[in-house]
Amino acid sequence: MSSFDQQIMQRCLELAKQAAGQTAPNPMVGAVVVQAGQIVGEGFHPAAGQPHAEVFALRDAAAQARGATVYVNLEPCSHYGRTPPCADALIQAGVARVVVGMVDPNPQVAGAGIARLRAAGIEVSLGIEAAACRKLNEGFIHRMLYQKPLGILKYAMTLDGKIAASSGHSAWVTSPEARGWVHRLRAECDAVIVGGNTVRRDNPLLTSHGQGHNPLRVVMSRRLDLPTQAQLWQSDAPTLVLSEAEADPAVRQSLEQQDVEVVSLPVLTPALAMQQLYERGCLSALWECGGTLAASAIADGSVQKILAFVAPKIIGGLAASPVGELGLTKMTEALTLEQLRWEPVGADLLIEAYLPQLIP
C-alpha cells in the first residue's frame, strides 16, 4: 500500500460523504480514476436509484479510463439491482487496476465483485484505508449484518451529569458550536427519534437547520398524549408518530390532518420502532430522547453508539440523568464502552464510544 493509494482513497471518502444522509438504503461511495499519476475522473453515488460512483467517475474520465487505476471505497457491485453491476462497467471501460477500500458486507456482493474483476484480468488491491471506509459506512454495515439501522444515542449534559435543571429547564446545556455540530449530524442520519415527553416539554424542531437534508422525525407515544399544535407538525420535514392501538383517536385525526403519518403497533418498543425504520430503508437512527426512553433503547439493543456532549457547567440538584434505570445495581455490572474518542466542540467536550455487544 503506497501513500499515493492512501491519498486517493481519502479523496474517495471525501467524495462519498457529499451524499451523507441521502443514499439510504445504499452506502456512501466515491470513486476516482487515475491515469499516469493524475486524477482524470471523479464521482460519487448521490442517491438510491441513481448511478453508482464508478459510473460517474468513468463518465468523467471518458477515454482516459482505458488502462487507468480506479479507486473506490467499497467493493464494486456484481449484481443487478436498480442499476447494472459496476464490476461490468469497469471491465467494459478497460481499466487496468482497481483499488478497493473494503469488501461489501451485502451478501449479494461479498467478494463477488472483486472475483469478477480478477477473472477479467484486472489487478485488484484491497484494504486501503479500510478502517476509515468502515467508519464512513458503519450504518450500512450494521444494517447488512443485523437487519436494523445503527442506533446512535446523542445527549448533552453538565459536568455533574445533568441534562436539565431540577425545574426541567434545559435550554441550553451546550454551546452554539455543539448545537451546530448536532444539526450537521442530523443531516447525515436517516431518522431522529424522541419520546412524547420531549415533544411536550421542549417543542423541538429536530431538523438540520439548513445544514443538509432533514431526517425523518419519529415520535414514540403509546397513548398519543401529544399536543395537537407543535413545531414538529407545522414544518415541511417528514414526521412519523408511532403509537399503540388504544391511542387517542382524536389526536390521531388531528395529526393526520396536518400531514403527519401515524402508525399503530401492537406494542411500542424501541426495537419495533427500529424495525419500522429498517423496513423504510434507514441506515442510521439518532436517538435524541430523554433518559427513560434512552435506557429502554439501550436495554433492547436499539443503541450501538453513544455521542455525549459534556458542558463545563455544574447545575446541582436532583435533575434527570441522560440514561434512566437499566436494572444494574453494582458498578461491576456497568456497561463498559469501547472505541473511545473525544474532541473539543466549542467550549464543550464530545465523547464518542460504542456499546460492547454489537460493534460492526
Side-chain angles (χ1 to χ4, degrees):
M1 176 174 63
S2 70
S3 60
F4 182 78
D5 284 350
Q6 289 178 296
Q7 177 186 341
I8 302 300
M9 188 59 70
Q10 288 164 6
R11 176 58 183 161
C12 288
L13 295 172
E14 290 174 3
L15 290 165
K17 196 165 184 180
Q18 291 184 43
Q22 301 173 72
T23 63
N26 292 352
M28 291 175 279
V29 184
V32 175
V33 183
V34 173
Q35 181 68 265
Q38 299 295 317
I39 293 176
V40 296
E42 292 185 337
F44 64 92
H45 178 52
Q50 296 293 314
H52 289 187
E54 299 93 320
V55 173
F56 282 113
L58 291 172
R59 286 178 187 172
D60 193 31
Q64 295 183 85
R66 185 160 296 278
T69 297
V70 175
Y71 294 77
V72 60
N73 59 288
L74 185 71
E75 175 186 7
C77 62
S78 56
H79 66 290
Y80 280 88
R82 298 189 195 182
T83 57
C86 290
D88 289 358
L90 292 165
I91 294 167
Q92 290 162 9
V95 307
R97 179 180 179 230
V98 177
V99 180
V100 177
M102 62 171 283
V103 172
D104 193 331
N106 184 345
Q108 291 183 291
V109 185
I114 292 171
R116 186 175 295 195
L117 294 173
R118 285 175 171 159
I122 296 173
E123 178 188 350
V124 178
S125 300
L126 178 62
I128 312 303
E129 291 289 301
C133 292
R134 287 193 297 269
K135 177 77 169 178
L136 178 74
N137 275 310
E138 62 182 355
F140 175 74
I141 295 169
H142 191 82
R143 176 182 171 85
M144 284 294 162
L145 293 181
Y146 302 108
Q147 289 73 57
K148 59 183 174 180
L150 180 75
I152 305 166
L153 173 63
K154 188 281 302 180
Y155 58 83
M157 67 181 188
T158 60
L159 197 56
D160 57 337
K162 307 299 192 301
I163 60 174
S166 54
S167 66
H169 184 263
S170 61
W172 297 98
V173 175
T174 53
S175 63
E177 292 88 348
R179 297 198 294 275
W181 196 98
V182 171
H183 297 156
R184 292 189 291 275
L185 173 64
R186 288 177 187 163
E188 296 176 3
C189 292
D190 301 309
V192 55
I193 308 172
V194 298
N197 194 43
T198 296
V199 178
R200 291 187 294 271
R201 184 188 65 232
D202 297 340
N203 192 22
L205 196 56
L206 302 179
T207 65
S208 66
H209 290 254
Q211 297 297 314
H213 107 294
N214 286 319
L216 173 67
R217 301 169 307 173
V218 181
V219 179
M220 294 178 62
S221 176
R222 287 193 177 92
R223 297 184 300 277
L224 281 185
D225 48 342
L226 298 169
T228 55
Q229 298 298 314
Q231 289 194 103
L232 284 177
W233 326 139
Q234 294 156 7
S235 68
D236 293 333
T239 308
L240 168 67
V241 174
L242 299 176
S243 68
E244 293 183 354
E246 302 302 316
D248 190 327
V251 174
R252 179 183 185 120
Q253 182 180 26
S254 175
L255 294 179
E256 290 177 338
Q257 287 173 346
Q258 297 177 77
D259 294 324
V260 175
E261 183 182 1
V262 182
V263 173
S264 295
L265 302 175
V267 60
L268 184 57
T269 66
L272 288 178
M274 291 295 265
Q275 181 62 33
Q276 277 281 319
L277 296 180
Y278 173 77
E279 291 169 2
R280 291 164 185 257
C282 293
L283 302 178
S284 59
L286 182 62
W287 293 85
E288 290 200 54
C289 53
T292 300
L293 183 53
S296 296
I298 289 172
D300 77 358
S302 295
V303 170
Q304 287 72 49
K305 181 176 181 178
I306 306 291
L307 292 172
F309 284 92
V310 182
K313 301 176 181 178
I314 292 176
I315 190 69
L318 298 174
S321 162
V323 179
E325 181 58 58
L326 287 171
L328 307 177
T329 58
K330 298 179 181 177
M331 191 57 69
T332 51
E333 298 172 338
L335 301 175
T336 302
L337 304 188
E338 302 172 352
Q339 298 185 47
L340 191 67
R341 186 185 70 83
W342 58 86
E343 65 175 280
V345 179
D348 308 307
L349 181 67
L350 169 62
I351 300 173
E352 173 188 287
Y354 293 81
L355 289 165
Q357 64 265 43
L358 294 176
I359 298 175

